[in-house]
Amino acid sequence: MIKVHFHKKDYKWWNPLKYTTSIIKIFSNDIYYHVSFEIDKKYYESEFFSGVARYANPRNDIAYTLKLYLDKKIIKKIVDEYESMLGKKYDFFGVIFGFFGHKVHESDKYFCSELFLPILKNAYGITKNDIKNNLRPKDVRMFCLALTKNAK
């Protein structure tokens, strides 16, 4: 099983994160500003300053979680891809151009929603070329809801 976590937190007005998370929420037309993925109590995400990383503990701002029940072989392929992405930088241009509807992806950089691409590819046969825009947390949530509904 893969848990897809959506993050939401209200920051104080003086905290710079208030403004960056607000910009993401406004441009993505969503209440969540970040998405992360949990597999076997390991948390994978791509953050602004650290890029793609794996953590042993979850962040404290998880507001909503969806579960994807997938075959163990598929999960292994996804984990292998995540492991190969570790240490890659954050895709600033992908985020900025994505706000304006332009699909831009640097092959060696990732923003948080792009970590959903290995799940789409390995579990459902959907590649980044099949998607018209850069993924946003809202898109990830809509995919997950549709995929879990159709799996029942």
Side-chain angles (χ1 to χ4, degrees):
M1 171 182 51
I2 297 176
K3 292 182 182 177
V4 183
H5 299 295
F6 298 90
H7 301 258
K8 176 182 173 184
K9 187 173 184 175
D10 293 321
Y11 292 96
K12 301 289 184 194
W13 66 269
W14 45 264
N15 188 330
L17 291 175
K18 164 91 175 161
Y19 303 100
T20 57
T21 59
S22 294
I23 289 169
I24 291 170
K25 289 190 284 188
I26 289 168
F27 277 101
S28 64
N29 189 25
D30 199 11
I31 59 173
Y32 305 108
Y33 62 86
H34 184 65
V35 63
S36 64
F37 305 88
E38 177 186 350
I39 304 172
D40 296 328
K41 302 215 183 278
K42 294 176 186 162
Y43 299 84
Y44 296 91
E45 57 188 303
S46 183
E47 296 178 299
F48 198 69
F49 294 109
S50 60
V52 181
R54 178 187 63 231
Y55 300 100
N57 297 308
R59 293 167 46 147
N60 66 355
D61 60 351
I62 295 172
Y64 183 61
T65 299
L66 288 167
K67 297 176 183 175
L68 298 176
Y69 296 94
L70 302 172
D71 182 75
K72 289 181 183 183
K73 290 178 185 176
I74 291 171
I75 291 175
K76 167 103 173 71
K77 289 179 183 179
I78 293 165
V79 168
D80 289 345
E81 280 199 52
Y82 283 166
E83 293 293 319
S84 72
M85 293 176 175
L86 292 178
K88 301 290 185 181
K89 303 231 181 278
Y90 190 80
D91 188 359
F92 296 104
F93 290 116
V95 170
I96 292 168
F97 284 105
F99 286 155
F100 302 102
H102 298 287
K103 184 177 179 180
V104 174
H105 171 71
E106 292 191 45
S107 61
D108 62 339
K109 297 180 181 179
Y110 301 90
F111 53 88
C112 66
S113 300
E114 285 182 311
L115 295 187
F116 190 59
L117 291 172
I119 295 172
L120 284 176
K121 181 180 85 178
N122 290 295
Y124 305 104
I126 300 169
T127 68
K128 66 182 174 191
N129 295 332
D130 298 324
I131 301 169
K132 291 176 92 172
N133 297 319
N134 287 345
L135 289 172
R136 304 170 190 187
K138 184 177 187 176
D139 301 322
V140 172
R141 195 169 70 256
M142 295 302 114
F143 265 115
C144 289
L145 289 169
L147 294 169
T148 54
K149 181 178 179 183
N150 290 331
K152 292 180 180 178

